[in-house]
Amino acid sequence: CILLPLFISLLFTSFWLLPVLYFVWLFLDWKTPDQGGRRSAWVRNWCVWTHIRDYFPITIVKTKDLPPENNYLMGIHPHGLLTFGAFCNFCTEATGFSKIFPGITPYLATLSWFFKVPFIRDYLMAKGVCPVSQPAIDYILSHGTGNLVGIVVGGVGEALKSNPNTTTLILQKRRGFVRTALQHGAHLIPTFIFGETEVYEQVQFHQDSWMYKLQSCFRLIFGFYCCIFYGQGFRQGSIGLLPYPLPIITVVGEPLPLPKIEKPSQEVVNKYHTLYVDALHKLFDEHKTQYGFSETAKLLFL
């Protein structure tokens, strides 16, 4: 909202050639996000990411090896408000993804409209972020092996339900990622991020309130909800926009092998969706007491 108007304003200055050249480049480079992007090891290894990692801290836990002979589609749960865990683990090398899973190239899928914004698109591609669109995911899963695409399945709708101690996931009707995995024979990986919903408090509005309707209108326009949230301030005990420094642990589950079916029927999709949900249940139950949940905590699927 700030960068683009400033850049366009250069058209009316003596620096007009800079935005003209960039927009020519943007036109020629328009399809790159849907064709694997343009990642940069230098950007993924910026030291600022280690400071973000250590602030919480953020860690990643491997339960099984990921052989580089396969491709993978990872379901990431829950969304939380700002997806700190997914960002730090799969868009940077701060937690050592390449050492933990050698031979695997991670991508994190996000809203496609980000890639229409000048400069932001280049920054995202450098970090290994791709559009959460069918062409982009198809391209990655059909070009070589050892590729992993992470999708925060609950999406922006799940962000609105993010609150500490909640285990509500939007998953029941989200089956497109299973269909895509079947079409490419990619292994499905259930992944749960413990602590993602703990780092912010959110103000919840009733569905009949005008604020909730305003949030819904905002989503229709921009693609995501305008959530009202707060954390801590710079002074101890104060309220602000800094997240609470609480551990965020990403537990990567065991890959679920899928057959390659070019046109899977709905029955087949439902079958493997059920297997995926069961695997996610098992992953959560095996680790919940270790990472802050009670023995009686259960996942709730919407």
Side-chain angles (χ1 to χ4, degrees), residues 143-163:
H143 284 71
T145 59
N147 296 315
L148 181 153
V149 180
I151 300 177
V152 187
V153 179
V156 293
E158 203 171 82
L160 201 61
K161 302 182 181 301
S162 177
N163 254 323

Side-chain angles (χ1 to χ4, degrees), residues 1 5-6 9 23-24 26 31 130 135 151 190 212 219 221 237 244 246 271 279 297-298:
C1 296
L6 287 176
S9 68
F23 284 122
V24 171
L26 184 63
K31 293 184 178 180
C130 70
I151 300 177
Y212 185 88
R219 182 191 178 184
I221 298 172
Y244 298 118
L246 300 172
K271 170 188 174 181
K298 300 291 184 182

Side-chain angles (χ1 to χ4, degrees), residues 61 63-66 74 188-192 251-255 283:
V61 176
T63 59
K64 295 289 182 180
D65 289 331
L66 301 182
M74 173 185 285
L188 276 177
I189 307 176
T191 299
F192 196 91
V251 182
V252 179
E254 181 178 357
L283 182 71

